[in-house]
Amino acid sequence: ALHEGHIVSSQELTELLQPVFTQNSRNLILFLQDKLSIDDFTYLSESYGNKNPFRNIQAKLGNLQSSPSSLVLPAVDCEATRYLLSFLQESGGWKITNITNLDVSQLERNPSKPNLLVVQLQSPASGLNEISTLEAVAENDKIIGRLTMDLQERGIHFSVIYTAVRPSRISRRNDVVWELRRQLMATEEEDSLSYPPLNVTMGNDTCILFYAGNFSLKANNSVFMDLTNLTFVTQNVDTSSSECSDINTTLSLKYTKPVNGISSLEIRFLMTNQFYGGSARNWSTLDSLEIVQDGEKFAKFNISVISAPAEYSFHCQLVGTSNLYPARLIPSNNEAKNWDVFISSLQIQGFNVENNQFSYASDCTGFFTPGIWMGLVTSIILLWILAYGIHMIMHLTTNTRFDDPKGPALSVPQTE
């Protein structure tokens, strides 16, 4: 029994799941989503009427009474999922398998060892307009139903955990609402982050730090890839090809079978550190982004306005191929036109990394934002209307002579 408002910590979650870890048939499936809150089950089910996006999940919940045990936790700490995976890896015996092709028929299962299957689900809030929240949730529900049914047909006993990396609905506190200040990762506490940044080390020193709230790609307007969890949560990404130096730095992210139809994917961030005489200091610049699919298809993007003093990190709220983003990826070849890239809350540093932490962040948003320009233009127009009105009032003339009802009519010559 959990009291209202209680958030289950990482240690509490591990203790609650101990019966799953110690039972005879230790086959555990972890369906991991980017964002999810318990309110989503009610909100999405009621908002879309007959289109229930949780049909398979609710069918499983309806059969919970027939299962040996069940557990529903309304609120879990954001660090709990990452801690759970680390706990199972450190405990030894568990065989952890990341399922990306959504096919368990060829899965090699060792009955003598506990098996953990980690299934990455796409995010309901991907940031791309083509994929709505309802469609993403419904697709995840189909994946859960298909995989669990396949395991049942094969006679495999298993337990299921359906959770997310972070909540989709956060209640804002009054003390936070009134704190209108810019908080970046250089000053935020680690507990406020849903996951740590990705770091690349050369020897004993960290030379690259990379963080994104959402890291998604779309190929040929059809194949969608959410790489956020693979990059930052499970860190199922190869960074061994990254290169670091005082002048050129390359962050290389290699993924194996991120989605069906793509066997390998490499994403490179190319950064340079140069001295500029105009400012008399070194500046780090993210010059280009390269995507290599299956070792053959090469796409290159030039990048605008991503630069910062060499001692700083760079932060931008929206980076991608859309014209609406402050930092835009501009296709440099024909292959790049087949890709859509979306990165939110990007923060990257490729030079002068100290203590494995981001330095002070230089933001891509300038002082004069579109909102400020709109306010200035509107104020100027209103001031002009006010000045014109005052000018017209000051030039109004009044009569200096009036009719006397007891005398003759007043005659005003045309010259006056």
Side-chain angles (χ1 to χ4, degrees):
L2 302 174
H3 60 80
E4 183 179 1
H6 177 70
I7 299 178
V8 178
S9 65
S10 303
Q11 291 77 8
E12 289 176 331
L13 178 64
T14 304
E15 294 176 1
L16 290 171
L17 296 178
Q18 280 299 328
V20 179
F21 301 153
T22 56
Q23 63 183 352
N24 294 329
S25 178
R26 290 187 291 173
N27 294 309
L28 181 62
I29 307 176
L30 175 60
F31 291 103
L32 192 58
Q33 199 165 282
D34 184 39
K35 295 180 180 181
L36 180 70
S37 293
I38 196 168
D39 294 337
D40 293 338
F41 292 94
T42 303
Y43 174 76
L44 294 175
S45 298
E46 294 179 353
S47 300
Y48 298 100
N50 296 329
K51 297 181 180 180
N52 184 5
F54 297 106
R55 184 177 294 105
N56 291 300
I57 296 175
Q58 290 182 349
K60 301 298 180 183
L61 292 175
N63 296 329
L64 283 180
Q65 294 180 354
S66 61
S67 64
S69 62
S70 62
L71 179 65
V72 178
L73 303 176
V76 181
D77 185 16
C78 294
E79 296 287 333
T81 303
R82 186 164 59 91
Y83 178 84
L84 178 62
L85 291 174
S86 301
F87 172 80
L88 294 177
Q89 289 176 344
E90 294 173 358
S91 62
W94 284 85
K95 178 184 178 182
I96 301 178
T97 305
N98 289 279
I99 298 180
T100 56
N101 56 4
L102 304 180
D103 183 14
V104 296
S105 59
Q106 304 297 326
L107 181 65
E108 296 181 1
R109 188 178 65 91
N110 187 356
S112 63
K113 297 180 63 177
N115 298 275
L116 172 61
L117 311 181
V118 180
V119 182
Q120 301 287 342
L121 302 176
Q122 65 177 353
S123 171
S126 62
L128 299 176
N129 295 329
E130 290 81 2
I131 298 182
S132 65
T133 301
L134 177 62
E135 292 173 346
V137 172
E139 182 62 26
N140 292 342
D141 180 72
K142 293 179 181 178
I143 293 173
I144 294 175
R146 186 164 63 249
L147 288 180
T148 53
M149 183 63 67
D150 192 359
L151 291 174
Q152 287 177 348
E153 292 177 352
R154 297 175 62 189
I156 299 176
H157 298 281
F158 59 91
S159 300
V160 174
I161 298 177
Y162 180 35
T163 185
V165 179
R166 49 189 168 174
S168 60
R169 304 174 186 275
I170 303 176
S171 59
R172 301 181 66 89
R173 299 175 299 175
N174 293 332
D175 58 339
V176 176
V177 173
W178 289 104
E179 293 180 1
L180 301 179
R181 63 173 181 259
R182 181 182 296 175
Q183 290 186 344
L184 300 181
M185 290 181 61
T187 57
E188 287 179 340
E189 296 181 358
E190 183 179 358
D191 291 342
S192 63
L193 300 177
S194 56
Y195 42 75
L198 178 70
N199 62 76
V200 177
T201 59
M202 291 294 173
N204 296 325
D205 299 326
T206 300
C207 60
I208 303 176
L209 288 175
F210 173 62
Y211 176 87
N214 193 318
F215 186 23
S216 305
L217 290 84
K218 197 173 187 181
N220 301 318
N221 293 324
S222 59
V223 181
F224 174 75
M225 290 168 283
D226 189 346
L227 305 176
T228 310
N229 293 333
L230 292 176
T231 307
F232 303 104
V233 182
T234 61
Q235 295 192 357
N236 189 18
V237 57
D238 181 14
T239 60
S240 59
S241 298
S242 300
E243 299 177 357
C244 295
S245 70
D246 295 335
I247 300 176
N248 298 304
T249 295
T250 301
L251 172 61
S252 174
L253 306 175
K254 292 183 178 180
Y255 305 90
T256 303
K257 293 183 179 180
V259 292
N260 289 331
I262 297 180
S263 59
S264 66
L265 184 70
E266 182 181 6
I267 303 174
R268 306 190 195 113
F269 295 84
L270 281 71
M271 295 171 280
T272 58
N273 180 15
Q274 282 186 296
F275 178 82
Y276 291 86
S279 58
R281 70 183 307 169
N282 284 60
W283 286 74
S284 62
T285 306
L286 181 56
D287 298 319
S288 60
L289 183 145
E290 299 175 350
I291 300 176
V292 182
Q293 176 187 344
D294 299 330
E296 299 177 353
K297 299 181 180 179
F298 176 79
K300 182 177 181 180
F301 297 88
N302 294 326
I303 304 178
S304 62
V305 303
I306 295 189
S307 61
E311 300 82 9
Y312 294 175
S313 63
F314 177 83
H315 174 272
C316 196
Q317 191 62 31
L318 291 174
V319 178
T321 51
S322 173
N323 294 329
L324 303 177
Y325 297 159
R328 187 182 171 219
L329 305 180
I330 305 172
S332 178
N333 59 6
N334 292 329
E335 184 64 29
K337 297 178 181 178
N338 299 325
W339 289 88
D340 291 325
V341 182
F342 172 78
I343 308 175
S344 67
S345 301
L346 168 70
Q347 190 162 1
I348 189 170
Q349 184 173 356
F351 304 95
N352 302 311
V353 178
E354 297 180 357
N355 300 324
N356 199 26
Q357 293 181 347
F358 281 111
S359 302
Y360 177 83
S362 175
D363 201 271
C364 63
T365 302
F367 181 78
F368 286 97
T369 62
I372 294 177
W373 280 114
M374 184 181 296
L376 289 174
V377 172
T378 304
S379 300
I380 292 173
I381 294 175
L382 293 177
L383 287 174
W384 182 83
I385 295 174
L386 178 62
Y388 179 78
I390 294 176
H391 173 77
M392 297 299 294
I393 292 174
M394 292 179 63
H395 286 76
L396 287 176
T397 58
T398 59
N399 294 333
T400 58
R401 289 176 291 177
F402 301 93
D403 278 335
D404 184 0
K406 297 181 179 180
L410 179 64
S411 177
V412 180
Q414 293 294 330
T415 58
E416 298 185 11

